[in-house]
Each structure stands twice: as structure tokens, then as C-alpha cells.
Amino acid sequence: MAITVFIVALTVYAIVGAFVARRVRSSADFFVMDERAPTILIVGTLAATYLSAVTLLGIAGISYTEGPLVIAATGSFGSWIGIMLAVLYVGRKLKGLGCRTMPDFFRNRFQSKAVTTLATLIMIIGLLGYGVIQLIGAGLVLEEITGISFPIIIVAFVIALMVFSALGGMYGVVVTDTLMFFTMLAVAAVIAPFIISKAGFADMKALGDSMPGYWSLAGAQGRAMSFTVSQFLVWVIFMTCSPAMVSRVFPAKNDFVILKAAGIGVFLAAAMQIPIFLAASAMQVIEPGIEQADRVMLIAFIEHVPGVMGGIGLAALMAAIMSTASTLFVLAGFGLSHDLYENLKKDSLSERDKMRVSRIAQIVIGVVVAIIAIAQPAGIYWISIYAAAIFGVGWLPTVVAGLEWRRMNHKAALASMIVGVSVFVLFTELTRLSYITLPAYATPLIIAFSSAIVALIVVALVTTPLAAEAEYFEKIRNASSSAKTISGILIKANGLQELKRQYRQVQWIMGVVVVLALSVFGLLAVKLAF
């Protein structure tokens, strides 16, 4: 039964993706859904993209072996803050400037092909690394379920992803993400509580007796507080400028949609993640001694819940992988075509050619990722580290300074990106090869991030912005996503009443979200304390 439900769910994803692709008729549809996405779609794609294979495989495994608070109270909390910054700060500002992709900002702000090319290459490399992780996770899951060889599964999986990412672009990704989101919500709201109740919360709390530190921030391995702080900072830095998060804003219908989606989406991402981590810990009671801990939720879905629930759980696991992978494929394809090819090409492309080139680029990206995934490089952990960190050290200082500092210019941008990425790679490799030993608080990412900021400030102070850079900075100061939304509503009949209604709706939603957050996490804190 579980396998049947699983296969049916995957078939539905593909059919919906193919159907949605028929609605794409222009590059505006393809890249940003013609900026028509309502709140439900932005919430769905935001939460689904965040809840990737890392949550249901990697972090679930850590929750099983070390305890649920090690990551939930550090990395996850940092991620939630980072997502809010990505949506409400970076995303809103870039949308207000009319950006379709994040490299659009680099192109317009710095008026330099070198800066745009370097920023795009950083994005593509980072997305490729993260895409490989998603594909390997998907391949391992499907191989265990179906018995089909890993290479065949990877090829089939890439083809399925191409149905709604290459054909439908952002339109296909956002709609299918939202469909997948409801599958993941079923895991958090129904299946995870079932697993927790099966283990019994009293027995789960008793794990702290046999595994000291299991319910502490240090975890069963007794990690230092510096690890907690570093994990928090890493995920704040990464998520704030992650193109997968920031790009969720661009298809939004207006600024009210962004505000509502930020509150609802981040709350749901948190509220969905915590039950999954607790369910992984419950498996320590139900089936202790699982050697491959990153498969703990897979084992739970197959062996420890009723058939239909198990099928939905497996479909949700695949949905988490597919939603993130499709987003990465479509953004990498956009980068290769819209931000790299069009940036270097002298002649402008027609609407039809823009979509054609982007689709070809996504196919190229899919083939490259499939080849790497099939090879299953031994250093896959290090690929994930690079993928997560490269945006933080390569992009975040430049993006923030580009938005906020008048003296910021293309030379400072180049210096910051080159120094940040180079220092990160250098210190990561020296540490990995045991040539140096860093203090726990001085991670390669923190060193590289600090170096990127110093390089940016020094070069910006000794150079002068171009006239075009100064002119665009003034546009940044005057651009506002909210102003565009307000003017667009006021020109309608009964526009003032609609504007007031939207404001009240945002306030009401934010109030409900705060109450729910305090209730859910307060109840969890009480149950853990007593």
C-alpha cells in the first residue's frame, strides 16, 4: 500500500507540472509567473523549498543520534531568521527594483559584466552542489524502495524534474511546490505525531538518562556552545542571500502577499520541522541502533506506520527533495541563460528565444548534476558545505553594501566576492587536511565572511563609484515594493477600501501567527521541562 500511494503521488506531481507548463506564454510567465502569484502559492513554495532532503534525511539523522535540540535550537532558528531577512529585506528590495533573478541586481547595480559573470558563476556552482545532494538523497530513497539501480533512478528523476522546471519555469516550480507542501504538511500534522505517540513522550524524555545530554543544546556528543553559536550564524548568513529563498518573492502579486507569506511561511516551516525532529528522536525509542541514521524517517515510514500513512510519508520525502531540486535547477538554468549567456551576448534575445535558451540551459544543468550524482563523489559532505557557504561569503556582503552604501562599486564587489570565496576554500581545505586547527568559534565561513567585508570596505574607500553606479544607487533609495503596491491598488475602484482591508488582513494574520507560535513552542517547552 505504501509503495502504491507513493507512486500515485509522484505521478500526480508530474501530471500537474506538465499541465501548468501549458500556461507559460511569455518570458515574464517563465521567470516570475508574470508577478501574479497569490499568498497560498508563495507560502507553499517558500515552505516546500526550505523543507528539503537536508531536513528529512540529514538533520533527522542528527536528531535521532544526538537529540532534536542540537540543530532545532541553533541551525534551524538561524535559518528562520535568515528566511525572514531574505523575504522581507533582500527579496522585497530586489522585487521593487524589477529584478527577475538575483544576478539582475548585480548587473544593474554595478554596471559590470565581470561582476555579473562572477556572481552568476558563484550562484551556479553553489546551486549545482546543493542539487547534487538532493539527487543523491532521492536516488538512495528510490533505490531502497523500488530495487531499481541508482543510475537509472537518477536519470529518470532528472527527466521528471525537467517536466515542470524546464517546461514550466518558475510557474511550474511554484505550483508543484505548493502541491508538494500539502504532502509535507501531512507528515508534520499527522504522521510525525503518530510516531511520537507510538514511542510515548515519557520514554522519549527518558532517553536523556541513557544518553546524557540528549535533550540539551550540546546533544549526546556534548558539543561546545561555540558550535551552537557558529551554526546559528552560518544559517543566518546562508539563508539571507540564498537565491532559492530570495527568488520566492519575485512571482508575488504584490507587497501584501509578500508580508503575509513571510509570516505564514516561516511559521509553517518551523512548525513543520519541529515534529519531524521529534519523530526522529521517537525512533530512538521505537528502533534504537539504526546504523545509517540519515535513513531514520525512511525506516519509520516503511516499517512503523500504517500503509497509507507510510505512502504519504514517502511521497512527502520525495516532495521535499523534488521541490528543492526543481527550484535549484530552474534558478541555475536562469543563471546560465538569462544572467550569463544574455549578459555576454551583444544582441538582445526575443521573448521566444529567452525561454528556449533557458530551457536548453536547464537541460544542460540537469545532465551535469545527474553525471555528478551518479558518480557519488566521496566528498559529498564537503560539496554540501561549499554549497551552503558560498552564497554567504560570496554574495551577502556585496548585496547588503550594494543596497545600503553609496560608495559601494564594482571594484569593491569583485574584491569582496573573490576574497570571500578564496579564503573560505583555503581555510576549509587546510582544516579538512589537518594542516591547521581552528578554534571552535572561528569556522572557515566566519573567517571568510569577515575577510570579504574587510576587502569590500577597503577597496570601496580607495575607489570611486562610476556615474552609472551612483545613479542606480539613487534608484535603489527611491524604489519601494510597497509604494508600487499602494499606487496599484489606489487606482482601482474602491481602492482605498481595498487598501485598508489588505492592511487589516496583514495585521490579523501576523497576530494569529504570533499567538500560534507562542502556543505551539510554549507547549513544547513545557512538555520538555516537565
Side-chain angles (χ1 to χ4, degrees):
M1 176 62 75
I3 303 300
T4 302
V5 174
F6 170 71
I7 292 173
V8 169
L10 288 184
T11 304
V12 170
Y13 297 153
I15 291 173
V16 170
F19 177 78
V20 169
R22 299 171 59 189
R23 298 178 61 91
V24 177
R25 293 182 173 86
S26 68
S27 63
D29 285 336
F30 194 76
F31 288 108
V32 290
M33 290 185 66
D34 200 24
E35 297 184 80
R36 292 180 295 175
T39 303
I40 183 63
L41 291 183
I42 301 301
V43 168
T45 189
L46 188 67
T49 300
Y50 175 63
L51 294 169
S52 65
V54 175
T55 295
L56 286 165
L57 295 176
I59 302 179
I62 294 174
S63 298
Y64 175 80
T65 57
E66 297 187 42
L69 300 183
V70 180
I71 297 298
T74 55
S76 292
F77 186 54
S79 295
W80 305 334
I81 293 175
I83 294 173
M84 291 295 285
L85 292 172
V87 173
L88 297 179
Y89 174 61
V90 180
R92 285 181 73 205
K93 282 184 174 289
L94 268 56
K95 181 177 174 63
L97 292 167
C99 296
R100 287 184 171 183
T101 65
M102 283 193 72
D104 272 351
F105 170 74
F106 290 90
R107 177 189 299 107
N108 298 330
R109 174 64 175 89
F110 301 110
Q111 307 288 318
S112 166
K113 288 190 175 182
V115 170
T116 306
T117 300
L118 179 57
T120 304
L121 289 174
I122 288 174
M123 183 181 76
I124 291 174
I125 292 171
L127 291 175
L128 280 175
Y130 211 67
V132 166
I133 298 168
Q134 303 302 316
L135 271 188
I136 291 178
L140 292 174
V141 170
L142 283 174
E143 184 180 36
E144 184 162 332
I145 294 171
T146 65
I148 301 173
S149 69
F150 183 82
I152 293 176
I153 287 174
I154 293 297
V155 172
F157 196 72
V158 169
I159 292 173
L161 285 171
M162 290 299 103
V163 169
F164 49 86
S165 62
L167 294 180
M170 189 61 75
Y171 216 127
V173 168
V174 169
V175 172
T176 52
D177 270 3
T178 304
L179 179 63
M180 295 174 189
F181 158 73
F182 286 105
T183 312
M184 301 178 209
L185 187 60
V187 173
V190 179
I191 302 174
F194 178 88
I195 296 171
I196 294 169
S197 64
K198 186 174 182 178
F201 213 89
D203 289 339
M204 288 172 62
K205 287 185 64 177
L207 290 171
D209 298 329
S210 58
M211 304 172 69
Y214 193 82
W215 289 101
S216 70
L217 295 180
Q221 290 191 8
R223 295 182 183 272
M225 183 55 67
S226 56
F227 172 82
T228 300
V229 175
S230 66
Q231 285 294 298
F232 172 79
L233 292 176
V234 163
W235 288 103
V236 171
I237 292 170
F238 167 52
M239 285 295 178
T240 300
C241 62
S242 166
M245 293 294 111
V246 174
S247 66
R248 304 302 86 187
V249 174
F250 299 153
K253 184 178 180 180
N254 56 41
D255 206 47
F256 287 116
V257 168
I258 296 172
L259 295 174
K260 288 183 280 188
I264 299 171
V266 173
F267 167 72
L268 286 177
M272 290 165 66
Q273 217 175 25
I274 295 300
I276 293 171
F277 296 160
L278 290 174
S281 296
M283 286 296 294
Q284 186 67 248
V285 174
I286 296 171
E287 188 176 337
I290 297 175
E291 294 185 1
Q292 293 180 300
D294 59 353
R295 299 193 182 190
V296 61
M297 294 308 295
L298 176 62
I299 294 171
F301 296 149
I302 293 175
E303 300 180 7
H304 297 287
V305 300
V308 174
M309 277 191 184
I312 294 173
L314 293 174
L317 178 56
M318 290 306 304
I321 295 168
M322 291 177 72
S323 64
T324 305
S326 62
T327 297
L328 300 176
F329 281 3
V330 79
L331 292 179
F334 288 174
L336 192 59
S337 60
H338 176 72
D339 301 311
L340 195 59
Y341 179 77
E342 290 186 46
N343 178 51
L344 298 176
K345 187 177 173 60
K346 293 182 180 179
D347 301 327
S348 60
L349 298 177
S350 66
E351 287 286 294
R352 185 174 180 179
D353 285 342
K354 287 179 179 179
M355 290 190 289
R356 179 178 58 82
V357 170
S358 185
R359 283 167 173 152
I360 293 172
Q362 287 183 56
I363 293 172
V364 171
I365 293 294
V367 170
V368 171
V369 171
I371 291 172
I372 297 173
I374 290 171
Q376 292 194 59
I380 189 63
Y381 171 75
W382 298 106
I383 293 176
S384 69
I385 293 296
Y386 281 110
I390 196 169
F391 297 115
V393 301
W395 273 19
L396 188 56
T398 297
V399 170
V400 174
L403 290 170
E404 304 295 342
W405 194 18
R406 191 181 303 274
R407 288 195 63 92
M408 184 60 183
N409 59 71
H410 66 285
K411 293 179 181 177
L414 284 171
S416 179
M417 288 190 285
I418 292 171
V419 169
V421 174
S422 299
V423 170
F424 176 76
V425 172
L426 175 64
F427 276 84
T428 299
E429 290 303 308
L430 289 177
T431 303
R432 183 175 69 87
L433 298 172
S434 301
Y435 288 122
I436 61 173
T437 301
L438 296 174
Y441 58 84
T443 64
L445 183 137
I446 299 301
I447 294 172
F449 186 68
S450 302
S451 301
I453 293 174
V454 171
L456 183 153
I457 293 173
V458 170
V459 175
L461 290 175
V462 300
T463 56
T464 303
L466 299 173
E469 292 177 305
E471 181 180 344
Y472 194 78
F473 181 77
E474 291 305 316
K475 180 179 179 180
I476 292 173
R477 307 303 293 178
N478 297 323
S480 170
S481 180
S482 59
K484 182 179 177 181
T485 295
I486 292 171
S487 62
I489 293 176
L490 288 178
I491 62 174
K492 300 178 181 179
N494 300 318
L496 183 59
Q497 288 79 4
E498 172 65 15
L499 191 63
K500 291 179 178 179
R501 187 183 71 82
Q502 289 286 351
Y503 270 114
R504 287 194 296 269
Q505 194 175 80
V506 169
Q507 292 172 341
W508 181 82
I509 288 174
M510 292 302 179
V512 171
V513 166
V514 169
V515 171
L516 285 174
L518 292 175
S519 302
V520 171
F521 298 118
L523 177 62
L524 177 61
V526 169
K527 289 186 73 67
L528 289 176
F530 302 100

